[in-house]
Amino acid sequence: MNQDITKSINACAAHYGEHAEQMKSYLLNGQAQAYKMNNRGPIKFDENGALAKDILAEYQQCGFYIFENVLSEAELDDVKADLAQMRSTFSAAPYGKTTADGKPALGADNIAPSLIWSKSLGDPLGGTAIANGRHQVKLFEPTAAKDSPEYAPFVLLGSLQFSEACLRIYGHPQLLRVAECINGADFAPFHECLFIKDPGVGAAVSWHQDGDTHWNSQHFDDGIHGFNFMAQVYGSTAVNGVWVLPGSHKTGKIDIKNLIEASGSERIEGLVPLLCGPGDVVICNRQLLHGSFANTGFEPRVTVNFGFHRRSSVLGVMGAGMHSEAQEYTEALIDERSKVIGYAIDARQQKYPDETPYQYQPFIDKGVQYTWDQHAKKDIKDYNLRDLSI
């Protein structure tokens, strides 16, 4: 995957005024360094079903790996169709209850939050107390074009209840096998969303680490806060994509303000962009320092985001209160939240009957199975109230 985004790089740099050349160099250098890394390729397992040793080694060393061509063109078309349908039901105004033609908006009757908005090209999280203040600084907010909307869609939470195409990706047997190889056969769910970075308006996400609960745990290690899969619908670039600091998942909690001061600007030294083609899926350690600039380029990015935990990281733990209300994660609550895995596996099996479905060990142990039908669709409404946020 080697996309020419020269126009977008130049457009992005132009927003930075006297620092335009520095920004252009930063984007180009980061892009070049990313292409030099040896952590991309197809999903591979060994003869015993374990994740290939070279992939596991690169993931453990860098904190991320890009699985190429995981999703077929047909799957991507299904996601795009769902996106178009969902967009037609977005509220006419941020956090409104009705569409432009007066119909109920997406998520209008949900208890859990759904569509999050941002000022065009803004950084809505940076420098705020949101998510326990993990976004320590606010990134530069470019000026959007005069004809741009004041606000733009940013993140769709609880996305699996709104898109069957996303639900089927969640049930992808190879991705679930990867989750098992990383977090154990009894891995637990975490949180799902869609990140929407439309050209010319898509928001920035300030530098941060996702983990919150276990930084000072006596059992701390470089995988205790789990990981996210990031499935790319249109691909991702140095301008619209996530940037990461390789290896930072091993260092514990980072003082981002000091890191920026040492780098002389928000362009932190050593960061590289996640460069992906359509259908690529990144596995990204949640402890990795990461974030993204506002999308001042011409390419869209929509990321189907979903993550998983070790069961030992969540069972009996008091949640962080970032993606759901802070509560103790009991076995019963984890079981209830895991239903969506079962529904996703069956939804995918119905769509792809010739594909061998994933077998989730906790379901086997308890002798349960789930069917994706009209009852299930009602059952997962507001399921993200039970996100396992650590």
Side-chain angles (χ1 to χ4, degrees):
M1 180 265 162
N2 198 331
Q3 185 180 7
D4 182 2
I5 60 161
T6 302
K7 291 182 179 180
S8 287
I9 287 177
N10 290 336
C12 178
H15 284 273
Y16 286 75
E18 62 180 298
H19 302 290
E21 284 303 314
Q22 291 97 316
M23 185 60 177
K24 182 177 180 179
S25 294
Y26 188 78
L27 295 172
L28 289 171
N29 290 337
Q31 180 176 262
Q33 291 304 312
Y35 280 130
K36 289 179 181 178
M37 297 185 72
N38 188 33
N39 63 340
R40 64 174 62 240
I43 299 177
K44 296 183 299 182
F45 302 98
D46 64 20
E47 63 276 8
N48 298 315
L51 191 62
K53 290 182 178 180
D54 60 325
I55 294 176
L56 185 60
E58 286 292 332
Y59 171 69
Q60 291 175 336
Q61 177 65 28
C62 298
F64 70 101
Y65 196 94
I66 299 170
F67 295 120
E68 295 181 314
N69 300 312
V70 176
L71 306 180
S72 68
E73 187 173 342
E75 280 190 83
L76 295 177
D77 286 343
D78 286 345
V79 176
K80 292 173 186 176
D82 276 7
L83 282 168
Q85 191 280 325
M86 287 188 289
R87 283 182 184 270
S88 72
T89 63
F90 285 177
S91 57
Y95 306 105
K97 296 293 186 179
T98 58
T99 63
D101 56 0
K103 295 179 180 178
L106 184 77
D109 62 344
N110 283 57
I111 298 172
S114 50
L115 185 60
I116 307 300
W117 297 73
S118 169
K119 182 181 72 173
S120 289
L121 299 184
D123 176 9
L125 304 176
T128 73
I130 298 171
N132 295 342
R134 69 183 182 188
H135 303 83
Q136 299 173 26
V137 299
K138 182 175 285 293
L139 294 185
F140 172 66
E141 296 180 316
T143 301
K146 291 183 179 180
D147 59 351
S148 298
E150 183 178 3
Y151 290 91
F154 176 39
V155 183
L156 180 62
L157 305 173
S159 49
L160 304 186
Q161 65 190 303
F162 301 119
S163 167
E164 289 195 33
C166 290
L167 183 72
R168 291 192 293 268
I169 292 173
Y170 189 67
H172 194 291
Q174 286 192 310
L175 293 176
L176 292 176
R177 175 65 64 83
V178 170
E180 175 182 326
C181 293
I182 299 295
N183 285 339
D186 62 347
F187 65 87
F190 161 45
H191 162 82
E192 303 81 40
C193 66
L194 285 177
F195 275 98
I196 303 171
K197 300 265 282 193
D198 289 334
V201 297
V205 179
S206 181
W207 310 127
H208 66 287
Q209 295 167 286
D210 285 341
D212 184 86
T213 303
H214 295 304
W215 293 114
N216 298 315
S217 170
Q218 62 178 333
H219 304 296
F220 178 83
D221 63 23
D222 58 19
I224 199 169
H225 286 108
F227 70 82
N228 283 319
F229 283 128
M230 305 174 182
Q232 305 300 331
V233 180
Y234 300 102
S236 66
T237 73
V239 172
N240 68 23
V242 173
W243 287 63
V244 301
L245 184 60
S248 55
H249 60 303
K250 297 174 177 288
T251 62
K253 188 68 172 176
I254 295 172
D255 188 325
I256 298 170
K257 292 181 180 179
N258 282 348
L259 200 57
I260 288 175
E261 184 176 349
S263 296
S265 78
E266 66 182 28
R267 296 180 291 278
I268 295 173
E269 295 178 4
L271 292 175
V272 296
L274 302 180
L275 305 177
C276 302
D280 290 354
V281 179
V282 184
I283 180 173
C284 186
N285 188 298
R286 293 186 65 239
Q287 292 168 194
L288 205 64
L289 180 69
H290 64 288
S292 61
F293 301 107
N295 187 9
T296 50
F298 302 106
E299 295 81 22
R301 175 165 72 87
V302 172
T303 299
V304 181
N305 209 81
F306 54 103
F308 296 102
H309 292 307
R310 301 170 183 165
R311 187 165 293 253
S312 61
S313 292
V314 292
L315 182 60
V317 170
M318 176 60 68
M322 290 192 294
H323 301 88
S324 59
E325 288 290 328
Q327 56 187 311
E328 182 181 345
Y329 298 142
T330 63
E331 184 173 356
L333 189 147
I334 295 171
D335 286 347
E336 180 66 24
R337 184 57 176 79
S338 298
K339 282 183 179 181
V340 71
I341 298 176
Y343 291 140
I345 291 170
D346 189 64
R348 187 172 184 91
Q349 180 65 10
Q350 291 181 32
K351 180 73 173 183
Y352 304 107
D354 294 331
E355 185 179 82
T356 301
Y358 179 74
Q359 300 293 317
Y360 183 50
Q361 191 62 46
F363 295 161
I364 295 173
D365 293 342
K366 296 181 185 304
V368 297
Q369 60 183 30
Y370 295 92
T371 301
W372 179 243
D373 54 18
Q374 290 301 316
H375 169 76
K377 293 177 183 180
K378 295 179 181 178
D379 193 37
I380 67 170
K381 182 178 179 180
D382 283 324
Y383 77 93
N384 51 316
L385 288 172
R386 296 176 290 277
D387 283 351
L388 304 181
S389 176
I390 56 169

